[in-house]
Amino acid sequence: MNKIRVLVTDDSAFMRKVITDILHSDPDIEVVDRAKNGLECLEKVKQLHPDVVTLDIEMPVMNGLDALERLMTEHPVPVVMLSSLTREGAEATIRALELGAVDFVTKPSGPISLDIHKVAERLIERVKAAAQASGRLRKPPGRPGTTVVPLSAMLKRKTVWTQPEPAHPGTGAPDRAAPGTIQPGTADSGVTPPAASAPRRTAAVSKLVVLGTSTGGPKALQTVLTALPADFPAPILIVQHMPAGFTKSLAQRLDSLCAIRVTEAEDGEWIQPGTAYIAPGGFHLEVIQASGGRLETRLHQEEPRGGHRPSVDVLFESASRLTNVDKWAIIMTGMGNDGSKGLGRMKETGRVTSIVEDESTCVVFGMPRAVIQAGLADNVVPLDRIAETLCKLLH
């Protein structure tokens, strides 16, 4: 098996050496060279053609975002960003994911992190995941003004089904095998859950969409959510594997691009149609049924599930307990198989139709593969058809 060839880019000589040592500790990875700024990174990518690039955001001469944008245009290569745990760092990281970075790792204590070894395992995992993305890099999706169409027009389009459409939305479950084991993943947080200042008054909710994604998810979410019309007739609850401090920036960025409202979920919030709620990093997100058929969010910090908090399985299992609600479950790009057990539970206990991203558009075909192999996929479609498929199913 060929080793994964990596180019390490950081303006700190210390960080370049430590990151190199971490990556060299894995027998499947080889650091082929190091660069001290974005411009040097571009030159070495042209010369060496690495499989993966690690790229710091804050650098002189040419920063990481400018280098990333040029890489994606001139020499597309899987990139893992290294970012800081500041508000500015979070915003820059979300922008990097939008520009085409596969994933990111946070430096524990700023630009020069003497304790970078704390995230060694995560860095190696992300580099290996990025290597799988070679050849599947996508250009940033267009702005919402060029993608959103009225719901009525969307429903008139022909949708290509890979499996027969159920007779009624949310009914019918195919035969399925037992889901596989959950793969260990990310970490915890230890911050206070966002609390709703006052519940938003809303009528009973009879339709619900739940969505899970991981590596490559932020960019995939932008593709799907910007294609939904403002009058989308259901709430959307989302688990994106991401550490604390980054999901709020992700929600704000998506909200600025989408016709629907996108927000970081708050504890005890009454959910409503036309809004997407993203689980905060470090917190599980659940949905419960309140009086009168209203649906309410619950955030908690119980143990990570399979290494993940938030966990797609936790969200999906909570949705399985809802009654008199038609449900649609979406699984998109990501490592591991988080979501397959939860979707299996939804299939056992109520009406649900699943939509799974096709391998051809996944950055990492882990979570979708697990669902397909478990026999839980009702519709397998490429990323740019998920929004259209969802709108057709809801009607």
Side-chain angles (χ1 to χ4, degrees):
M1 177 180 175
N2 295 331
K3 290 189 175 185
I4 299 168
R5 303 171 67 254
V6 181
L7 173 66
V8 172
T9 309
D10 199 293
D11 62 318
S12 162
F14 170 78
M15 292 302 297
R16 291 196 298 273
K17 181 175 188 313
V18 175
I19 292 169
T20 297
D21 290 344
I22 288 172
L23 296 177
H24 273 160
S25 71
D26 190 286
D28 297 328
I29 298 175
E30 174 189 6
V31 174
V32 293
D33 207 344
R34 294 176 276 193
K36 60 181 179 291
N37 57 57
L39 188 59
E40 189 172 284
C41 172
L42 286 170
E43 293 170 351
K44 293 193 173 185
V45 166
K46 294 176 186 177
Q47 297 167 6
L48 301 170
H49 305 288
D51 300 312
V52 178
V53 171
T54 70
L55 191 57
D56 190 28
I57 290 180
E58 300 174 16
M59 294 182 294
V61 184
M62 180 183 287
N63 65 40
L65 289 181
D66 291 342
L68 175 65
E69 191 163 15
R70 284 190 55 182
L71 278 174
M72 292 300 103
T73 302
E74 300 171 12
H75 299 278
V77 59
V79 174
V80 176
M81 305 299 295
L82 276 81
S83 67
S84 60
L85 281 169
T86 63
R87 181 181 62 81
E88 294 80 7
E91 291 172 354
T93 300
I94 298 305
R95 178 58 180 155
L97 295 172
E98 187 178 81
L99 288 171
V102 172
D103 213 329
F104 70 98
V105 175
T106 54
K107 292 182 176 180
S109 53
I112 301 179
S113 291
L114 301 178
D115 55 353
I116 189 71
H117 63 275
K118 291 180 178 178
V119 296
E121 184 177 347
R122 196 174 309 166
L123 176 59
I124 290 170
E125 180 188 68
R126 299 300 189 270
V127 165
K128 287 185 172 182
Q132 299 177 38
S134 182
R136 294 181 179 174
L137 301 180
R138 299 185 297 270
K139 292 181 179 179
R143 296 187 65 83
T146 64
T147 56
V148 173
V149 295
L151 186 58
S152 57
M154 193 174 280
L155 295 175
K156 292 178 182 177
R157 295 179 179 175
K158 181 181 178 181
T159 301
V160 178
W161 305 103
T162 58
Q163 296 189 27
E165 184 179 359
H168 180 275
T171 62
D175 294 336
R176 54 188 180 275
T181 56
I182 300 295
Q183 175 172 323
T186 55
D188 34 354
S189 137
V191 293
T192 304
S197 53
R200 290 177 174 268
R201 304 293 170 179
T202 184
V205 173
S206 60
K207 298 179 179 181
L208 175 67
V209 177
V210 288
L211 187 156
T213 187
S214 185
T215 308
K219 196 171 177 182
L221 284 172
Q222 183 175 330
T223 299
V224 172
L225 298 184
T226 56
L228 296 177
D231 60 346
F232 187 74
I236 306 171
L237 297 181
I238 298 169
V239 165
Q240 160 69 58
H241 293 160
M242 188 172 275
F246 291 86
T247 45
K248 189 173 186 65
S249 292
L250 174 63
Q252 289 172 341
R253 177 60 179 162
L254 290 172
D255 187 58
S256 72
L257 297 172
C258 293
I260 65 169
R261 176 174 173 255
V262 184
T263 184
E264 186 181 52
E266 298 176 335
D267 189 46
E269 187 172 10
W270 290 353
I271 64 175
Q272 55 189 340
T275 301
Y277 304 83
I278 299 178
F283 288 88
H284 290 306
L285 170 64
E286 294 189 334
V287 56
I288 64 170
Q289 213 149 21
S291 60
R294 293 183 294 268
L295 300 183
E296 185 176 318
T297 58
R298 280 288 181 265
L299 301 178
H300 61 81
Q301 286 193 304
E302 292 180 8
E303 288 300 310
R305 182 75 69 86
H308 298 296
R309 190 171 66 198
S311 160
V312 183
D313 280 328
V314 169
L315 171 61
F316 282 16
E317 287 169 10
S318 71
S320 75
R321 295 188 283 271
L322 304 178
T323 58
N324 301 316
V325 177
D326 288 329
K327 305 156 197 170
W328 292 264
I330 302 173
I331 291 287
M332 301 196 306
T333 176
M335 293 176 61
N337 54 10
D338 189 22
S340 60
K341 285 188 176 180
L343 180 56
R345 185 62 179 159
M346 291 180 73
K347 290 282 189 180
E348 292 169 358
T349 59
R351 297 180 298 180
V352 60
T353 300
S354 63
I355 302 173
V356 180
E357 184 179 353
D358 185 72
E359 181 178 7
S360 63
T361 59
C362 284
V363 174
V364 178
F365 189 55
M367 289 164 56
R369 177 193 285 118
V371 170
I372 293 169
Q373 290 180 342
L376 300 170
D378 298 319
N379 305 280
V380 181
V381 295
L383 179 65
D384 60 359
R385 300 297 298 274
I386 288 178
E388 180 180 344
T389 301
L390 178 63
C391 288
K392 184 175 178 66
L393 283 171
L394 261 70
H395 285 69

